[in-house]
Each structure stands twice: as C-alpha cells, then as structure tokens.
Amino acid sequence: MARTVARVIVDALQELGVQHVFGVVGDALNPLTDAIRTTDGVDWIGCRHEEAAAFAAGAQSQLSGTLGVCMGTVGPGSVHLLNGLYDAAKSRTPVLAICGQVPLAEVGSDYFQEVDNDLLFRDVAVYRATVTSPDQMPRMLESAVRAAVSQGGVAVLTVPGDLGDQEPSEDRAARFALDRPVTRPDDPALARAAELLDAADRVTLLVGRGARDARDEVLRTAGTLAAPMVLTLKAKEGFEGDNEFQVGQTGLIGNPAAAHALDSGDVLLMLGTDFPYRDWYPKGCKVVQIDTREEHLGRRIPVDVGLTGDVGATLRALLPLLDTVSDRSHLDDARERFAHWQEGQRRLADPGHEHRWTGRLRAVLDNRDHEIRPEALAAAVDTHAAEDAVFTSDTGMATVWLSRFVGMRGSRRLIGSYNLGSMANAMPQALGAQLWAPDRQIVAFCGDGGLSMLLGDLMTIKTYRLPVKLVVFDNRRLGMVKLEQEQAGLPEFGTELDNPDFAAVATALGLTGIRVTDPADLDASVRRAFDTPGPVLLDVLTNPQEVAVPGKPTVSQGWGFAIAKVKEILPSHEG
C-alpha cells in the first residue's frame, strides 16, 4: 500500500534525524500526529501553547545545528506559532513549521478558523506553500527543508486537513541534498585586507556567533595582530573560556574595557557578526568585515574591505599574509582594564556588599535593602552550575546578569532571544534544550514578567519529567523597561508586576519550588536547586532598584536617572 501524505512527511523527519516535534494537537493535524504515534524515534511533545512549541523547536535547532520542527493546527494554532518562529528567523536557525488548514474545498470561503497561512507567514518564512494535491509530495517537503537548512530560516508547509490521509501516486521516500558549501574571498580581496591590517597600529576584533566554528583561527588572528577581542553576547559561549584576548561584551550589557578597546583601535576587524547597535561602534577607524552573507557587509558601519566567506576559511587564507605584531600595548591595556572591571563586578556579587557601602542610601531610596542582589544570584548560579550546563535567558535584566556573572567555560552553551528580543523565551527554550540533551543540566534565567507569560508550559516540563532548573529573578518589575524609562528622565510607570509566589505555583503544578527571600539563604538554596532531582523552580526575590551601568554611560543618562528618581520619590500633584 502506498504511503499517505502524513506518512511521507513523518518518515522524512525520521530520516533527517528529527527526534521531537512540538505542538498542540488539533483536527487538521490528526493524520500527522497519528503517523508520529506509530513511528519509532520521532516523539510528539504536546505543549500548552504553540508559541512555546516554536521556541522549543528553535532552541533544539540552535543547539544542534540541525532542523527543528513544530506544528500548529488550523487558524489560531498556527497564529500562535508566530513569535517563536520569528525568533528562529532572526536567529537564522532552520525550523520547519507544519501547519494545518481547513479542507481543501473550503479554502477561500472564510470557513471556520480559516487563516491564509501563505500570507500570514510571508514575512517570517524563507519558504511557505500550501499542499493542494497529494502528488506534490514529497517534492514540496524537500523544497521546504532545503530552503530552511540552506538559508538558515523558517519554512512553513501548510497541509489541509483532508489531504493528510491521501496517497501520492508516486510512492517514494523524500531525498535531501543538504551539504552546505564553504567559501572564501578571492586573493586580491584578501591582499587588500592584509595591507590595511598590516598598516594599523592598533587592531581590535569584534567577534560574533558566525565565527564560532573558527575558534582556532580567530585566536591565531588575535595573537598575530596582538588584538583585544570584543565579543557579542552570542559569541560568549564559543570564545569566553580559556581566551587570553577577550575583553567581554560591548553595548548596554557591556563593560568599559570593551568600549575602550573599540574606541582606541585604528582598525576594527569584524568576524561573523552583525552587531546591530550602531551607537556602540567606534568612530573614525578603518573597518574590515568578514561574513558569509554579503548583505551584512557595511550595513551597521561603513567598511573599507568587505570579505564574503566563511570566517574559518577566510582567516586560514588571510593569516599567511599578515605580519606578526610585537607591540602588545593595545592588547595589554584592554586586558588590564577588563581585569579591573571584573574585580569590581566580583565585589558587587558579594551578598554582603550592599551594607558595606550603600546601605543607608539604598534604605532611604527604596526601603528594600534586605532584598537579594541579582548579581549575587547570577554569581551563585555560575558557581554551582555544571561545566557542561546549557543556559537560556529571558530578554531583559536576566540576560544582563547572566552576561556579566556567568562564565561560558568548559562546554557550556548559551541561547536566548538575542536578535528578536522576545519576552518569555527562556523557559520554553529550556524545555527544548532538555529534550535535546537529556543528560545535561539545563538552566533557565527567567524574568518574572517573561515566565508569567507562558506559565502554563510549566505543565509541559512536569508532564515529560524534564529536570530543568528555572531560576526566577523575581524583582516584581519589567526591569529593563524601568531602566529605559529612568535613563530618559521618566518616572517608573506601568512596570510593576503583582506576582504570585512562583515557588508555590510550581509546587502546586508538581515541580519542586524553592523561594528565597533572605540573602543569607541564597547560596545554600542555589546548591539545593541543582542537587534536587527533577524540575526545580527557584524563585528569588531580587532588588528591583539594582542598576546595570552600561560600558559607556553618558551624562544625559546620568541626569535622566537622577531626575527620574526625584520624580519617583516626590508625590505627584497633577490632576
């Protein structure tokens, strides 16, 4: 008997090595979920919200470098996938979304729950198509997967509910040619880059995630040029550990040493990064940029030499053309500044630091000097987490504290919504990560606002007995928004959150819940969370007034913050 459309799709997923399909069941998906039910090695992971399903699939794709898969049924089910799929698209990771549709004969009739998926996913997908005949399979599936993998993006395949059980006239397995080329620029372009770099007195590297597979070549380049290495957040996991050249991150989450290394160089060498914040780029220097995507060259800062190619292959060809720099003063100065900044951060992470230098002032300003410093929480997690832990982080202050206090040493991994900047990503990404690596420790840095958005999928973690560790920075605030308001001179407004006891909620749902309100209990509680088998939610009440000073604070930001504090302290007499 010939195979059905649903069987062709699921057999292809099995052949591709896809182990998990995330989604919420629904009528149009029934043929597909039934095919998954009867297929060894492909498991259906039923989530409570399709957005969580898409985040989980994207997390698996980012961590594995292979295809992630999620499903949404007719109309609202597919709409719910959108935010997680946008995150995958902005992260340039391959995800296949299979969406249900109304019966083929009803398409275009404004049928119950009908949504035009091809239009809906137009902006997010590198490939989108609706199956209108069983004979389009498996060709249409092959095109979707090739597009997702080759372009590093989202492919959406829509299957009407009455086609899943139909049989293509040609019974053949799907075939995929997924080998990706390795490219480098031509010799004249390399020679121009070498000439510019050799003429420089002070070269600074800005390294992104696109250079992760070229760690050895990047380190050799930094050594040859005696260049400090500024890392984007997404490069932290590949370049932070055992690296004598790195000086941390730049931008709002960065540090003064990285900012100075950029500003004091006369040539900036960008490797596999599309760092978007133009205000943090240096002014008046020459720029060499290497990226696999030609459209990235020069779109953040004007470049003098743009090289299209894989970072590793390009550097292997470029290194023999470079002179070795003997003057290490630029590198040594940046590293000394970085070490000084790190020492200051270690003092901030001391739970007793609060009372030694700011106790009285803080008691006046916020009357919460008993609350736990978020720096101390992040540092405690760093101390007790495994050397091969996988970290996820919610957008906002949770990411700031992770970036500054958690080291990506050993084989630790890190993902987050670092391009889309979505809330609510850390917990569902941890869900996907734990299924991808069942024997590794998965740690989610959750903001209280983010966690509460998709709180229902704590039940997914419980249902599948996933031993994730959820660390909640419970400051009862949308902390990053609060900081943005105050830097602009505005009083805090609309950011306060009326939170439940998240640990009690977790306990009611069948997880282990631990609540920490006293700084003296912090270290032991973090240790207990990691030592406890199964899923754990660690709810830590952190100080909402804690401020993360950017690497290059401006006078206007300082005045804005001061004005905002005065407005917050003085009662309003308006109205």
Side-chain angles (χ1 to χ4, degrees):
M1 180 183 294
R3 292 176 299 170
T4 64
V5 167
R7 174 52 60 191
V8 168
I9 292 173
V10 175
D11 285 351
L13 298 182
Q14 182 187 48
E15 182 69 22
L16 287 165
V18 173
Q19 295 180 316
H20 306 107
V21 178
F22 301 88
V24 178
V25 296
D27 51 357
L29 295 181
N30 285 341
L32 287 153
T33 52
D34 189 63
I36 292 171
R37 180 184 64 82
T38 56
T39 300
D40 291 336
V42 181
D43 292 329
W44 173 259
I45 306 299
C47 297
R48 299 303 177 104
H49 195 295
E50 288 90 352
E51 181 178 348
F55 271 126
Q60 288 201 342
S61 177
Q62 290 186 64
L63 291 166
S64 68
T66 59
L67 186 71
V69 181
C70 58
M71 292 188 184
T73 191
V74 179
S78 295
V79 172
H80 284 167
L81 291 172
L82 265 176
N83 194 52
L85 292 182
Y86 264 102
D87 184 76
K90 295 277 281 185
S91 298
R92 297 194 179 279
T93 198
V95 170
L96 173 65
I98 300 174
C99 297
Q101 184 55 283
V102 300
L104 190 60
E106 301 295 345
V107 171
S109 70
D110 195 22
Y111 196 71
F112 174 65
Q113 291 191 322
E114 182 183 2
V115 169
D116 185 345
N117 285 346
D118 293 340
L119 178 62
L120 175 70
F121 294 105
R122 178 178 179 180
D123 183 52
V124 73
V126 297
Y127 178 95
R128 64 197 186 283
T130 297
V131 181
T132 58
S133 166
D135 288 341
Q136 292 174 309
M137 301 299 288
R139 289 179 293 108
M140 192 173 283
L141 175 65
E142 292 167 341
S143 296
V145 171
R146 289 193 196 107
V149 173
S150 65
Q151 299 181 52
V154 172
V156 178
L157 189 65
T158 297
V159 183
D162 56 343
L163 284 188
D165 283 329
Q166 295 188 31
E167 299 175 356
S169 58
E170 180 185 8
D171 183 12
R172 72 168 179 88
R175 294 192 291 268
F176 303 97
L178 300 178
D179 291 332
R180 302 184 70 176
V182 175
T183 62
R184 74 164 181 85
D186 60 14
D187 291 340
L190 291 168
R192 291 195 298 272
E195 181 181 7
L196 193 154
L197 291 166
D198 284 340
D201 293 322
R202 301 175 304 281
V203 177
T204 300
L205 273 55
L206 178 60
V207 180
R209 186 179 183 276
R212 189 179 63 184
D213 295 333
R215 175 183 164 90
D216 290 345
E217 292 86 352
V218 173
L219 293 178
R220 285 171 53 203
T221 301
T224 298
L225 298 173
M229 186 186 303
V230 178
L231 306 177
T232 67
L233 179 59
K234 294 175 73 173
K236 182 177 166 73
E237 73 165 22
F239 290 95
E240 186 172 57
D242 193 23
N243 182 351
E244 62 179 316
F245 306 102
Q246 70 96 7
V247 293
Q249 282 91 62
T250 185
L252 287 175
I253 67 172
N255 70 81
H260 185 268
L262 290 171
D263 290 340
S264 60
D266 52 12
V267 171
L268 174 65
L269 175 57
M270 298 172 61
L271 302 176
T273 180
D274 190 39
F275 183 72
Y277 306 106
R278 289 185 292 166
D279 289 345
W280 293 89
Y281 280 94
K283 306 295 191 295
C285 69
K286 301 289 187 181
V287 179
V288 178
Q289 184 177 2
I290 302 173
D291 201 290
T292 55
R293 296 176 178 270
E294 190 170 5
E295 66 269 22
H296 287 183
L297 301 179
R299 77 172 179 175
R300 307 301 183 188
I301 182 174
V303 301
D304 297 273
V305 180
L307 303 175
T308 304
D310 293 270
V311 173
T314 302
L315 290 181
R316 285 192 294 273
L318 179 63
L319 275 163
L321 307 179
L322 298 177
D323 296 334
T324 299
V325 175
S326 58
D327 181 1
R328 293 174 55 93
S329 59
H330 180 49
L331 171 62
D332 291 342
D333 176 59
R335 289 284 291 176
E336 288 171 8
R337 290 171 182 266
F338 184 51
H340 178 73
W341 178 79
Q342 286 182 306
E343 178 57 34
Q345 295 296 293
R346 280 190 286 270
R347 290 194 297 271
L348 287 175
D350 181 347
H353 178 72
E354 184 92 16
H355 296 286
R356 282 199 294 271
W357 74 285
T358 62
R360 291 186 178 179
L361 176 61
R362 286 186 176 275
V364 170
L365 288 177
D366 59 44
N367 198 28
R368 289 189 174 96
D369 62 319
H370 64 286
E371 291 174 328
I372 295 164
R373 298 182 66 87
E375 301 97 328
L377 172 57
V381 171
D382 179 55
T383 297
H384 295 293
E387 295 298 286
D388 67 345
V390 179
F391 294 87
T392 68
S393 68
D394 269 335
T395 299
M397 298 308 296
T399 289
V400 175
W401 308 129
L402 183 146
S403 73
R404 294 187 174 186
F405 294 96
V406 177
M408 290 295 112
R409 56 186 176 271
S411 55
R412 288 178 171 181
R413 299 291 304 273
L414 172 65
I415 59 172
S417 185
Y418 301 142
N419 291 79
L420 180 64
S422 174
M423 291 178 65
N425 62 282
M427 182 266 287
Q429 286 182 328
L431 187 162
Q434 190 72 83
L435 286 161
W436 170 74
D439 296 326
R440 292 175 70 166
Q441 188 181 79
I442 311 298
V443 184
F445 271 46
C446 299
D448 46 0
L451 178 69
S452 56
M453 272 189 173
L454 290 174
L455 198 62
D457 271 283
L458 290 179
M459 286 304 300
T460 306
I461 291 173
K462 186 260 184 182
T463 297
Y464 293 94
R465 299 177 176 85
L466 303 177
V468 299
K469 311 304 179 187
L470 305 170
V471 179
V472 184
F473 287 74
D474 189 352
N475 64 357
R476 287 79 63 208
R477 294 293 193 281
L478 299 176
M480 186 62 79
V481 180
K482 170 181 170 354
L483 180 60
E484 291 166 350
Q485 290 175 347
E486 291 174 341
Q487 286 181 341
L490 302 173
E492 178 186 5
F493 179 76
T495 65
E496 295 191 32
L497 301 175
D498 183 14
N499 288 338
D501 179 334
F502 286 113
V505 172
T507 300
L509 295 176
L511 286 69
T512 297
I514 301 172
R515 187 171 172 88
V516 189
T517 60
D518 188 335
D521 298 333
L522 178 62
D523 191 77
S525 298
V526 172
R527 186 187 305 111
R528 177 189 163 201
F530 286 130
D531 289 344
T532 300
V536 178
L537 187 149
L538 181 68
D539 182 16
V540 182
L541 268 64
T542 57
N543 191 334
Q545 304 302 331
E546 205 59 45
V547 176
V549 179
K552 221 170 25 174
T554 64
V555 173
S556 62
Q557 288 172 334
W559 273 113
F561 187 78
I563 292 169
K565 284 301 175 186
V566 170
K567 291 178 180 178
E568 289 169 3
I569 293 171
L570 296 178
S572 173
H573 297 288
E574 295 179 3

